Amino acid sequence: MPPPPAPALHAARNAVIAMFVLNGALFGIWASRIPTVAGKLALDPKDLGALLLLMGAGAIAAFPLAGRWVDQHGAARVTVWLAVGYALSLLLIGLSPNLLSIAVALFFFGATHGGMDVAMNSWAGAVERHLPRPMMSRFHATWSLGAGLGAASGYAAIKLGLPVSAHAVLAGGAVTGLSLWLAAGPSKSAQWAPNPAHSASRGPFLALPKGSLLLVGLTAMCASLGEGAMADWGAIFLVTTTGASEAAAAFGYAVFSVAMVAMRLAGDRVTLHLGPVPTARLAGVIAASGVALAISVATYPVALVGFALMGVGYAVIMPLAFSRATSDPDLSPGKAVAGLATLGYGGLLMGPPVIGFIAQASSLRVGFVLLLALSALIVVLAPALARRD
């Protein structure tokens, strides 16, 4: 198929950006209201950790299905389908009156979040191949921008005394409506239809990464686990460790997300200048420094600085990993991205429950030591991110 004309490519790029913003915003809304949900249902760290584990299980169950849908129906259409389900799942969380109902809602939330990640990153890779310059890091910057806006809306909702359900309808509904409007036309374009060779393929349901792509997945897992920990435990860390108020703690994830946005906006340029491997190594060092600072000094301002450094360090790892996966010579885009997501976003959703169990046995500060070790591991695994041209 010939390259799309410039106006169609521009519209597709904007549609992908809208989907990344939507995905991040809904996740940021949830992250900012975790203390509210935990307080409403009287959840201790172990109970909350179990719920987050169920959310991660939903995502992992959705990864292979989303990868197959991408190859069969096209990444653009699948992204829009899952975006609708993702928005509805956030509303279900807000409406959940008891432990059983919120467990079901969080499983659905994790499944639609994870499935949409696979689809939108596949679509982003397809669009990026037609652009004159790399843009994956900037696509991911818009995810962080959305997450920051979602978290900031949580700060405002708490100040206004809005319940989670009203917050989901007002903030989640607004961003969902605008994003779907921007994506409606481009998602139906024949340019982003599935490749017949991929849609007709008869391979395993999920091709897990192998060889160097397996190491790419492990590198992504280290970064995404830290990112997930900040979303699910960052606010609670600030409350329990620094004595911050609930509203001030919700602001902590916004600081982390803004730092990620700033770094991801510059990430493509940094990678072109340094190369993917040195960029990843430097990122691991910066992330480790931020974790060490946050857990060693129990004051709110210093912890925020640590959160910002963690955001800078984690920012470029996932874009580098997805750029590598979408151009993999051995797997179709759907299977490659789904396999990478199993390790990468598996860390985003499965890691926080592990930290919760550690916090239950010891303390949340001890749980964050795991992030320090994984940040150091990024430095070791960085050579796997070298592109194979």
Side-chain angles (χ1 to χ4, degrees), residues 7 34 48 67 93 100 109 122 140 142 148 155-156 165-166 271 293 297 304 317 325 329 356 361 370 374 385:
I34 289 175
L48 181 57
I93 291 174
L100 177 60
F109 185 79
S122 298
H140 282 250
T142 61
Y155 177 84
S165 57
T271 301
L293 189 62
V297 182
L304 289 184
I317 302 301
L370 175 63
L374 293 177
L385 295 175

Side-chain angles (χ1 to χ4, degrees), residues 14-30 79-88 90 109 112-113 116-117 120 139 141-150 168 171-183:
N14 289 343
V16 171
I17 289 173
M19 292 294 98
F20 271 80
V21 170
L22 171 61
N23 190 280
L26 298 184
F27 194 78
I29 290 171
W30 154 246
T79 299
V80 171
W81 296 345
L82 289 171
V84 174
Y86 187 33
L88 291 175
L90 179 65
F109 185 79
T112 51
H113 170 80
M116 187 181 173
D117 266 314
M120 73 182 187
F139 284 143
T142 61
W143 188 95
S144 298
L145 175 61
L149 291 174
V175 70
T176 300
L178 178 59
S179 299
L180 291 177
W181 177 72
L182 289 171

Side-chain angles (χ1 to χ4, degrees), residues 31-40 154-155 157-159 162 164 235-236 238-239 243-252 300:
S32 70
R33 302 311 299 269
I34 289 175
T36 303
V37 172
K40 174 185 175 182
Y155 177 84
I158 292 169
K159 285 293 189 180
L162 291 178
V164 178
I236 296 176
L238 291 174
V239 170
S245 67
E246 183 179 319
F251 184 67
Y300 180 72

Side-chain angles (χ1 to χ4, degrees), residues 144 147-149 151-152 155 249-260:
S144 298
L149 291 174
Y155 177 84
F251 184 67
Y253 185 65
V255 169
F256 172 81
S257 297
V258 167
M260 292 197 77

Side-chain angles (χ1 to χ4, degrees), residues 59-70:
I60 289 178
F63 288 150
L65 181 60
R68 177 161 289 191
W69 280 1
V70 164

